[in-house]
Amino acid sequence: TRKESSAASDVYKRQIYNIAQRVGLNPSTVSRALNKPGRTNAATEEKIRAAAAELGYRVNPMARALPTGLSGTYAIVLPDITNPVHFELIRGAEQVARRSGFTLIVSETEGAAEIELETIETLQPSVDGLLVVASRLDDDSLAALAASKPIVGANHSTPSLPSVTPDLESGLTDALDHLRDLGHRSVAYLGLGGARINRARWELTLDLAAARGLGVVEITVDEPTVAGGAESLRRVRASGVTAVLAYNDLVAHGLLRAARSGGLQLPEAFSVIGFDDIFSAELAVPALTTLRSPLREIGTRAMETLIDPERSRTPTKVVLPLELVVRESTAAPTR
């Protein structure tokens, strides 16, 4: 009710003024530090948050929404909630939201563009913005949706929106250099058929392999899962390659498992490199060489961008480094 809203607003203002008095700063500075992380000097923000904690300050989303018309709720939309690659990304985003007093909801699209579109359109009226992970939608569709509420891309890039992505070029360069230095001359790329997000990886792999004198063939999987990777074994063997780059670690896991079940010794039969370095990568047999993606930082940086009214509307690109983690699944070719 209006009476409850007014009371909430009064409590919120008193809290802000009390904190401002404690730290000797302007109330507007205190409000900005608590509600818009990253917009205030880091030392000042830390000082304000420490004082707020001492005074028992808790963000009241209803009170904060009064002057802005905002709900204090954001959403993450991702293709597959069961994929371990998303765990750390969600955790990074959630920590930013919680620290800033926002509510974060998670919604899955099953990797289908039509479900993603419907999900975003359904969520938009009740949230202040959306973090869209590995989107299956094209740039025009995302730009049209972002005209209603801010959208930030995480783990994929699109020209019209701000995004936070891993540095594919440097990571794939390291992976292909590693295989070339081991003596490999032919590589298969196990990609996700029909997915726009896959094209950037394949095009880079194609160009980088050619520049290094490596033969490369694209083999598509129907889904980026263990089952998808397992089903690719027959085509990998038929291609005659001595090394494989997989779309993600789950696909790599499936390929390793199928090879082992088929009586193949890896990496003697062929080397395998995954992508993401999920928690199970080092537990695979053989332990998986992979490109480690800074998943938590991607979630953190993307969420910080989304809750900032200015940055969430500016199509900036943040690119974070990938790290090649060499384990047992790569070795010199035996043929």
Side-chain angles (χ1 to χ4, degrees), residues 37-299:
R39 300 290 298 279
T40 307
N41 176 276
T44 300
E45 185 173 312
E46 183 177 353
K47 180 180 178 181
I48 290 170
R49 290 191 177 282
E54 291 174 6
L55 293 172
Y57 169 80
R58 294 292 184 273
V59 174
N60 185 323
M62 181 175 70
R64 182 169 59 189
L66 291 175
T68 63
L70 300 177
S71 67
T73 301
Y74 290 86
I76 294 183
V77 177
L78 44 79
D80 181 5
I81 200 169
T82 67
N83 189 334
V85 73
H86 296 133
F87 296 166
E88 287 299 300
L89 192 154
I90 293 172
R91 182 168 293 168
E94 168 63 26
Q95 288 176 343
V96 172
R98 184 171 62 250
R99 186 171 65 242
S100 305
F102 295 123
T103 299
L104 187 65
I105 60 177
V106 179
S107 188
E108 181 189 51
T109 68
E110 301 176 29
E114 61 274 15
I115 297 178
E116 181 179 338
L117 177 61
E118 180 182 353
T119 298
I120 293 174
E121 290 177 334
T122 300
L123 288 170
Q124 280 184 317
S126 57
V127 300
D128 299 330
L130 301 101
L131 198 62
V132 178
V133 181
S135 178
R136 293 340 191 222
L137 297 174
D138 60 33
D139 182 57
D140 288 343
S141 298
L142 289 169
L145 290 166
S148 173
K149 292 290 178 68
I151 295 177
V152 173
N155 231 14
H156 80 284
S157 178
T158 187
S160 300
L161 305 179
S163 63
V164 183
T165 65
D167 189 344
L168 292 178
E169 183 167 1
S170 68
L172 291 172
T173 294
D174 289 345
L176 289 169
D177 283 348
H178 173 62
L179 293 175
R180 179 199 59 193
D181 294 346
L182 286 172
H184 293 277
R185 294 294 176 264
S186 57
V187 179
Y189 171 72
L190 286 190
L192 182 57
R196 186 175 58 86
I197 187 175
N198 174 73
R199 301 316 301 170
R201 294 189 193 181
W202 163 240
E203 295 295 337
L204 271 173
T205 299
L206 185 61
D207 292 342
L208 292 170
R212 285 156 180 75
L214 301 175
V216 61
V217 59
E218 182 181 24
I219 298 174
T220 60
V221 296
D222 293 331
E223 52 187 16
T225 61
V226 171
E231 290 173 359
S232 70
L233 176 62
R234 186 162 63 96
R235 285 171 290 162
V236 168
R237 297 187 68 181
S239 71
V241 300
T242 61
V244 175
L245 283 174
Y247 174 80
N248 65 15
D249 286 347
L250 293 181
V251 170
H253 279 331
L255 180 60
L256 294 178
R257 180 183 297 178
R260 191 167 64 251
S261 297
L264 297 177
Q265 295 295 317
L266 299 184
E268 290 81 4
F270 51 81
S271 291
V272 179
I273 296 180
F275 195 106
D276 289 323
D277 196 29
I278 60 177
F279 64 87
S280 57
E282 63 182 336
L283 304 178
V285 181
L288 182 63
T289 294
T290 186
L291 287 167
R292 177 178 292 160
S293 187
L295 299 169
R296 184 177 297 202
E297 187 176 0
I298 289 174

Side-chain angles (χ1 to χ4, degrees), residues 315-327:
T316 53
K317 311 300 176 190
V318 176
V319 180
L320 302 175
L322 286 165
E323 177 189 357
L324 179 66
V325 181
V326 178
R327 296 193 179 102

